[in-house]
Amino acid sequence: MTSRKGLGLLLALLLLLAPLSTRTARAADDASASEPASADEELPELAVLHKISQEQLDEIETVRKAKRSSNQFQVSPRVNRYLQAAIEAFHEGAFEKGHELLGRLKVDRMNPLERAQVYKLQAYMDYGATNYDGAIEYFKKVVAEDILPLKDDIGFRYSIAQLLGAQQKWKECVAAWKEWYVWATDPQ
């Protein structure tokens, strides 16, 4: 029943245009459920979502592009070597080795572009190692750096929502889908 419940919730999330009332996840799946639903299974109410306009997205992307192209935010040769070595480790399936390489870098001394690149690779390492909680946290850190192209950030938001759904963390999944939807330029 859990997999049907999850599928039903994910389908409902994809139809975010229609507001849903607050109800329990079990009741949404099976109105005749014999077991009472617990309070932590309640879904948050989905309000009408206001998407960010294309003009606003273009403005944000212009600022990010300017940051990335400035000399202040370039990836140093040393950091680039570690990133390349970690990418190779990822392709070999050596996720622990990749994390170890990236762990040698001092992220507090890096510029936002370097940090975003490191966090992105760490998220991929955790995803490859099926450490979904770790991947989610690193994807959130990438988005927080606010420097990568918007299309990448939107993709990371989508990945966060998918990973939360895969773990059946429904409240967080709903919130993540809502956040993705607000930013997505073409949610199809």
Side-chain angles (χ1 to χ4, degrees):
M1 179 153 175
T2 302
S3 64
R4 283 192 350 210
K5 176 175 61 174
L7 181 59
L9 287 172
L10 288 176
L11 290 175
L13 293 175
L14 295 176
L15 301 173
L16 286 172
L17 296 176
L20 300 175
S21 63
T22 304
R23 58 189 171 195
T24 63
R26 188 175 309 282
D29 178 58
D30 184 4
S32 63
S34 59
E35 299 175 40
S38 66
D40 60 76
E41 286 184 301
E42 278 189 23
L43 293 174
E45 190 165 316
L46 296 177
V48 176
L49 300 175
H50 299 285
K51 292 183 67 63
I52 296 174
S53 72
Q54 187 60 50
E55 293 81 25
Q56 291 170 314
L57 289 170
D58 291 343
E59 226 175 275
I60 293 167
E61 184 58 34
T62 300
V63 170
R64 288 181 177 199
K65 192 177 284 186
K67 283 183 191 178
R68 287 191 307 271
S69 63
S70 76
N71 288 334
Q72 182 181 5
F73 298 124
Q74 297 296 312
V75 177
S76 73
R78 178 180 181 272
V79 171
N80 193 44
R81 283 192 302 273
Y82 276 94
L83 292 172
Q84 292 304 315
I87 290 170
E88 287 177 25
F90 176 80
H91 288 299
E92 295 168 0
F95 307 121
E96 286 182 32
K97 178 183 176 187
H99 261 304
E100 187 268 322
L101 286 166
L102 295 171
R104 293 180 191 171
L105 298 169
K106 306 284 187 230
V107 291
D108 56 328
R109 293 184 180 176
M110 294 180 182
N111 67 54
L113 181 59
E114 291 172 325
R115 276 193 306 271
Q117 296 291 351
V118 169
Y119 293 151
K120 179 175 71 171
L121 280 175
Q122 287 175 318
Y124 291 148
M125 296 294 173
D126 278 343
Y127 178 81
T130 65
N131 175 8
Y132 298 145
D133 286 329
I136 290 166
E137 289 309 309
Y138 282 119
F139 280 138
K140 286 179 179 180
K141 287 181 178 185
V142 173
V143 171
E145 288 300 329
D146 201 31
I147 194 164
L148 293 180
L150 274 175
K151 65 177 180 57
D152 293 351
D153 272 7
I154 292 166
F156 298 139
R157 293 173 198 274
Y158 186 84
S159 296
I160 290 167
Q162 283 186 315
L163 290 170
L164 288 166
Q167 294 180 309
Q168 299 181 5
K169 295 181 178 181
W170 303 124
K171 281 184 176 183
E172 295 102 333
C173 181
V174 168
W177 278 120
K178 285 171 59 176
E179 187 174 333
W180 167 80
Y181 180 80
V182 168
W183 285 91
T185 53
D186 183 16
Q188 305 299 328

